[in-house]
Amino acid sequence: MHRRLIVPSALAASVLLAIPASAADFTPGAPGIGDSYYPASGNGGYDVSHYDLRLTYQPATDLLEGTATILATTRQNLSRFNLDLGLKVSEVRVNGRPAAFTTSGDHELEVTPAVPLEKNRAVSVVVRYAGKPSQVKIDGWTAWHRTPDGGVAAQEPDSAAWWFPSNDHPLDKATFDVSVSVPDGTQAISNGVLLSQSSRLGRTRFTWRSNKPQATYLATLAVGKFDITTDTTANGLPVLNAYSKDLGDHAGAARASIERTAEVAEWLESVFGPYPFNSLGGYVPNVTSGYALETQTRPFYSPRQFANGANVSVVVHELAHQWYGDSVSVRDWKDIWVNEGFARYSQWLWSEKEGEGTAQELADHLYAQRAADDAFWTVRPGDPGPENQFHVAVYDRGALALQALRNEIGDEDFFTILKGWPTRFAYGNARVADFVRYAEQVSGKPLAGLFDTWLYQPSKPSEATAAAVGLGAPALARSAGTGAAAPAEPRSWKKIAATNTIHEHRDGEGHRHGAAQEHAHGTGRAGR
């Protein structure tokens, strides 16, 4: 007779495996994802992989009804978790079973599943909800634009909570299917590729798919009556542009700019590498706002961007974001420079390509134009604070830092970095510090001091410091008594400056929430 010997440690392990986690092992997910500027944005405890949104919208009343199916993976043992949503919820199911739910604050939907959720498990969440987005105020403002023939969701740093439940922070990106039913004769525009369009009983349903990871604020919805143009690029990428039928005098300039989208994207591929998404385009709804936004694959443009005629520079800016901001997104909103500094610099490169002023000439003009006591220099692009997140210094001083880098390391390494960065962090998130390290790896040079000077010091770099990286030389020559003239204003300067309101966000009551302009008075979204 043979006896099996079980040592004490093995016995203990087998007993542990047989005992399920106790209730004490399950805790609520955090009500915020941990952003330094907006502590309440996003949620902890899970990662979303996909949103399936099935919506019905009534343009006449602004009533939006939705069923959202969210696929996620738990990252801790969850007793409860939060979603961000401002509309009224009627039902929540988790893994097919009814879940208890309540709300707190302006946008927190607190969900308690019938059975606690173990770590690293796939979870499906279904939320049924309805409401009028234009009547929803979060932190006292709305991101939803009401138009004469419908409504539009497009805002930064957040807009999702006005039309679907989500983990509302760029750190949790996901793929999207968006299906919207609207009255016949009205269109629904969203991100990605139009999969299908079908009509029944006086309504038409449009189904869109964005098949690469997408931040929630980059998801967009526009319902209205549009003129739509379609095409394909030379390599087969579908292009869809949409223009409200009532743009008035701005219609021609808007079309003349946005119809060059494919041309601009083709040029940007030569600078940043292959286009990272499955479709291309832009849309101009009849809204009263003045900003543009890099909504993924299909940027949003306010008609006022074209009030003074065609401006391809704004198209360059928003399309550059498809690489810098959309494919590679911020890890924290304080890292906004990795979005805006590069998008502005792309406008400088376009100017260089078009023969309207080189990036060097634009940089020298900017440096000379801004006196040392200008408040512009007190804004630190590498960490501007929520109140200055979209200040013009993040854009212009941010681009100046890139010209300083270009001069310091030479064109070969500089343009290798511009192409390599979107590949290195494709479809993910990154910090300013990650870019500094990457630039040092590629160039083989220590660059922390350069970036500290141009991104973090709250003062104008001295003329000697600027001259050391090939900037501001005319100003230095004047101080030496050589009589050198100030740098001439490049021909593209005013055209680029006309896009300074790109991210001047206002709510329905006219309050500004961040502005890329001369002296920003915006309050940012410090409470969000």
Side-chain angles (χ1 to χ4, degrees):
M1 183 176 179
H2 299 280
R3 295 182 181 276
R4 185 180 177 192
L5 180 64
I6 301 178
V7 297
S9 60
L11 177 63
S14 65
V15 171
L16 284 173
L17 288 173
I19 298 175
S22 69
D25 295 324
F26 291 85
T27 56
I33 209 166
D35 190 86
S36 59
Y37 285 4
Y38 310 115
S41 283
N43 307 285
Y46 63 94
D47 288 330
V48 178
S49 60
H50 183 72
Y51 293 95
D52 184 278
L53 309 178
R54 190 168 181 87
L55 312 174
T56 299
Y57 183 69
Q58 309 291 352
T61 62
D62 196 41
L63 177 63
L64 178 71
E65 299 172 283
T67 300
T69 302
I70 302 169
L71 306 181
T73 301
T74 56
R75 296 305 181 207
Q76 67 179 71
N77 287 337
L78 279 174
S79 60
R80 188 180 76 230
F81 62 90
N82 286 20
L83 293 166
D84 298 302
L85 181 66
L87 299 173
K88 186 175 181 180
V89 175
S90 59
E91 181 184 18
V92 179
R93 288 179 176 265
V94 177
N95 293 335
R97 299 178 64 175
F101 63 92
T102 188
T103 58
S104 62
D106 289 337
H107 61 87
E108 297 288 347
L109 174 64
E110 300 177 1
V111 178
T112 304
V115 178
L117 305 174
E118 293 186 355
K119 182 180 180 180
N120 295 330
R121 295 295 180 89
V123 177
S124 66
V125 182
V126 176
V127 181
R128 299 184 191 277
Y129 59 98
K132 297 182 178 182
S134 62
Q135 296 180 5
V136 173
K137 294 293 180 70
I138 297 176
D139 299 332
W141 72 292
T142 179
W144 183 265
H145 301 267
R146 195 80 167 92
T147 64
D149 52 12
V152 177
Q155 259 286 11
E156 187 180 18
D158 41 25
S159 66
W162 281 265
W163 65 290
F164 68 94
S166 71
N167 192 8
D168 196 10
H169 190 276
L171 200 54
D172 193 359
K173 300 161 77 169
T175 55
F176 280 74
D177 283 335
V178 179
S179 181
V180 191
S181 172
V182 295
D184 286 348
T186 299
Q187 293 107 333
I189 308 293
S190 192
N191 310 81
V193 171
L194 181 63
L195 295 181
S196 65
Q197 176 181 333
S198 60
S199 296
R200 181 174 180 270
L201 301 177
R203 297 187 68 83
T204 302
R205 181 168 288 280
F206 297 83
T207 301
W208 298 85
R209 173 167 292 169
S210 192
N211 68 349
K212 298 296 183 184
Q214 177 174 287
T216 47
Y217 86 96
L218 296 172
T220 191
L221 175 64
V223 176
K225 296 181 179 180
F226 295 94
D227 287 328
I228 294 177
T229 65
T230 59
D231 202 351
T232 56
T233 63
N235 59 3
L237 193 71
V239 183
L240 186 147
N241 298 320
Y243 309 90
S244 174
K245 291 180 180 290
D246 52 2
L247 293 179
D249 291 345
H250 300 331
R255 286 174 181 262
S257 304
I258 295 168
E259 288 303 307
R260 295 182 68 181
T261 289
E263 172 196 350
V264 171
E266 181 180 304
W267 170 75
L268 283 168
E269 284 190 311
S270 72
V271 180
F272 297 146
Y275 181 75
F277 302 121
N278 67 343
S279 68
L280 191 62
Y283 75 96
V284 190
N286 184 18
V287 292
T288 59
S289 60
Y291 64 92
L293 184 64
E294 63 270 18
T295 41
Q296 192 159 306
T297 71
R298 189 151 293 108
F300 158 93
Y301 301 94
S302 296
R304 280 189 8 223
Q305 283 291 320
F306 311 103
N308 295 318
N311 194 345
V312 181
S313 190
V314 69
V315 178
V316 172
H317 185 104
E318 300 309 332
L319 290 182
H321 274 311
Q322 304 306 304
W323 287 262
Y324 284 83
D326 293 11
S327 179
V328 184
S329 302
V330 297
R331 286 189 62 83
D332 188 287
W333 279 111
K334 73 177 182 180
D335 299 306
I336 189 66
W337 174 75
V338 299
N339 292 13
E340 301 303 346
F342 293 81
R344 174 48 55 90
Y345 194 76
S346 72
Q347 295 175 275
W348 289 12
L349 291 176
W350 177 262
S351 169
E352 195 167 288
K353 167 192 171 293
E354 294 289 282
E356 296 183 340
T358 66
Q360 180 70 50
E361 290 167 343
L362 286 158
D364 285 340
H365 181 69
L366 171 63
Y367 181 86
Q369 184 193 51
R370 297 284 187 175
D373 60 356
D374 192 324
F376 170 91
W377 297 107
T378 66
V379 177
R380 303 180 305 148
D383 186 1
E387 71 284 356
N388 286 320
Q389 188 176 354
F390 301 111
H391 192 285
V392 70
V394 177
Y395 297 66
D396 280 352
R397 189 176 173 186
L400 201 58
L402 288 171
Q403 186 61 33
L405 173 65
R406 180 180 177 180
N407 292 348
E408 175 69 14
I409 66 176
D411 275 11
E412 183 177 353
D413 282 347
F414 180 74
F415 286 102
T416 296
I417 289 167
L418 288 192
K419 277 189 177 178
W421 171 262
T423 300
R424 171 72 174 78
F425 292 93
Y427 311 119
N429 302 78
R431 297 185 183 276
V432 175
D434 295 322
F435 184 85
V436 174
R437 283 192 295 270
Y438 182 72
E440 289 180 328
Q441 290 168 5
V442 172
S443 68
K445 290 190 172 187
L447 298 169
L450 181 145
F451 284 108
D452 180 66
T453 296
W454 294 95
L455 293 182
Y456 291 101
Q457 292 303 312
S459 58
K460 183 176 182 177
S462 71
E463 292 182 349
T465 299
V469 289
L471 295 174
L476 187 61
R478 286 198 310 279
S479 69
T482 64
E489 181 177 286
R491 281 195 295 143
S492 62
W493 181 260
K494 287 186 173 62
K495 194 176 294 184
I496 294 171
T499 67
N500 280 352
T501 56
I502 280 174
H503 289 146
E504 181 184 344
H505 303 306
R506 292 177 183 269
D507 61 26
E509 297 179 355
H511 302 123
R512 184 182 292 124
H513 298 278
Q517 58 172 26
E518 176 70 17
H519 298 292
H521 303 291
T523 59
R525 295 297 314 285
R528 184 72 168 90

